[in-house]
């Protein structure tokens, strides 16, 4: 099918999925728009080879967020959608232009990293007990960036394995490409935790003293506060984007080294 038609069909199908996610409060309105761009573009230029791994990430991570056992997070916004899906969409364009399996490994590696991070958070915060800084350091609050638990880490690896399996079955990568994608996803998860524990911006509310990941505390009036550590501009979305790029790079390099 010519790409313009596939782009249209991709945007229509992504629009349907995004509208359902918006109605279910998994995405806000700009987030749904960003999902149409990422999903429509990925299907339009790479077909099912890219769209099925993307769906595996989006559907499993959205459904996991619906399970009971932890406070449900608010709808994802456009920045969060781009941070998780932008690298994969760029890799889809690479695949369309070059048709090298390395590009598919990058695409799937990025999504495996995004899924690993989401699965690690969803299962780790429910069943993981008290996370430690990078698994072996000091105990940190549940859900804090850089915190890892054994359950969360193993769940993250399972999330990477799901995307790697779908990519291997659905794309020209084939079963031989699965290890590269899986290791890419786990590498992305580790990069996420490492950056979250070191370079991600940290803030302390001057009124209540709470340690925060955003430069304002809504509960205390939402005034802007100065950072107390990390790089001020590197927020959670930036760390997620970096983790998906790491997943893409490791997936692509491993496949290129062992085609
Ligand atoms: Zn406060």
């Amino acid at each position: 099918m010519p790409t313009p038609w596939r782009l249209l069909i991709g945007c229509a199908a992504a629009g349907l999925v995004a509208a359902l996610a918006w109605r279910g409060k998994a995405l806000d309105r700009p987030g749904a728009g960003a999902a149409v761009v990422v999903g429509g573009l990925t299907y339009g230029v790479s077909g099912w080879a890219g769209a099925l791994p993307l769906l595996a990430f989006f559907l499993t991570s959205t459904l996991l967020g619906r399970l009971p056992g932890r406070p449900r997070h608010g709808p994802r916004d456009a920045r969060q959608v781009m941070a998780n899906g932008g690298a994969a969409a760029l890799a889809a364009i690479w695949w369309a232009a070059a048709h090298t399996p390395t590009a598919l490994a990058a695409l799937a590696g990025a999504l495996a990293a995004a899924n690993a991070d989401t699965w690690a958070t969803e299962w780790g915060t429910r069943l993981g007990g008290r996370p430690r800084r990078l698994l072996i350091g000091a105990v940190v609050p549940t859900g804090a960036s850089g915190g890892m638990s054994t359950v969360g880490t193993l769940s993250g690896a399972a999330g990477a394995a799901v995307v790697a399996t779908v990519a291997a079955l659905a794309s020209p990568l084939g079963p031989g490409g699965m290890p590269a994608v899986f290791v890419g996803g786990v590498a992305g998860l580790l990069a996420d935790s490492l950056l979250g524990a070191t370079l991600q911006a940290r803030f302390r509310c001057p009124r209540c003293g709470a340690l925060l990941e955003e430069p304002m505390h809504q509960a205390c009036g939402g005034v802007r506060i100065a950072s107390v550590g990390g790089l001020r501009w590197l927020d959670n979305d930036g760390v997620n984007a970096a983790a998906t790029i790491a997943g893409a790079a490791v997936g692509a390099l491993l496949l290129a080294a062992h085609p």
Side-chain angles (χ1 to χ4, degrees):
M1 201 191 301
T3 301
W5 283 108
R6 271 218 319 233
L7 276 172
L8 265 178
I9 292 167
C11 287
L16 195 68
V17 174
L20 287 172
W22 170 68
R23 283 204 59 175
K25 297 192 167 60
L27 296 170
D28 68 9
R29 211 182 281 252
V36 171
V37 171
V38 169
L41 184 67
T42 300
Y43 179 78
V45 301
S46 69
W48 289 116
L52 283 177
L54 180 64
L55 276 173
F57 156 63
F58 185 75
L59 294 180
T60 63
S61 57
T62 302
L63 291 176
L64 273 186
R66 316 257 106 180
L67 293 180
R70 68 176 288 225
R72 195 180 280 188
H73 46 67
R76 309 281 186 198
D77 61 24
R79 261 181 118 237
Q80 288 171 309
V81 171
M82 294 314 289
N84 280 303
L90 289 178
I93 296 173
W94 178 19
W95 159 249
H99 265 276
T100 164
T102 312
L104 281 180
L107 186 161
L111 293 169
N115 212 37
D117 181 37
T118 312
W119 280 46
T121 304
E122 295 292 348
W123 290 119
T125 51
R126 286 185 172 87
L127 308 170
R130 307 210 60 184
R132 287 175 175 278
R133 199 161 181 271
L134 300 177
L135 210 53
I136 49 172
V139 170
V140 297
T142 299
S145 286
M148 297 173 79
S149 64
T150 308
V151 170
T153 306
L154 292 175
S155 307
V162 166
V163 170
T165 305
V166 170
L169 296 177
S171 80
L173 261 186
M178 198 177 143
V181 176
F182 171 71
V183 175
V186 173
L189 177 66
L190 297 179
D192 193 292
S193 298
L194 195 61
L195 286 173
T198 54
L199 296 181
Q200 185 177 330
R202 296 180 290 281
F203 303 88
R204 189 179 292 282
C205 177
R207 299 204 178 154
C208 71
L211 208 54
L212 307 164
E213 298 189 350
E214 298 98 45
M216 48 181 63
H217 197 197
Q218 295 302 348
C220 291
V223 288
R224 276 185 78 77
I225 34 187
S227 58
V228 292
L231 303 170
R232 191 183 164 84
W233 50 267
L234 188 65
D235 64 1
N236 198 256
D237 291 339
V239 167
N240 279 341
T244 60
I245 292 167
V250 170
L253 287 172
L254 283 179
L255 194 82
H258 301 281

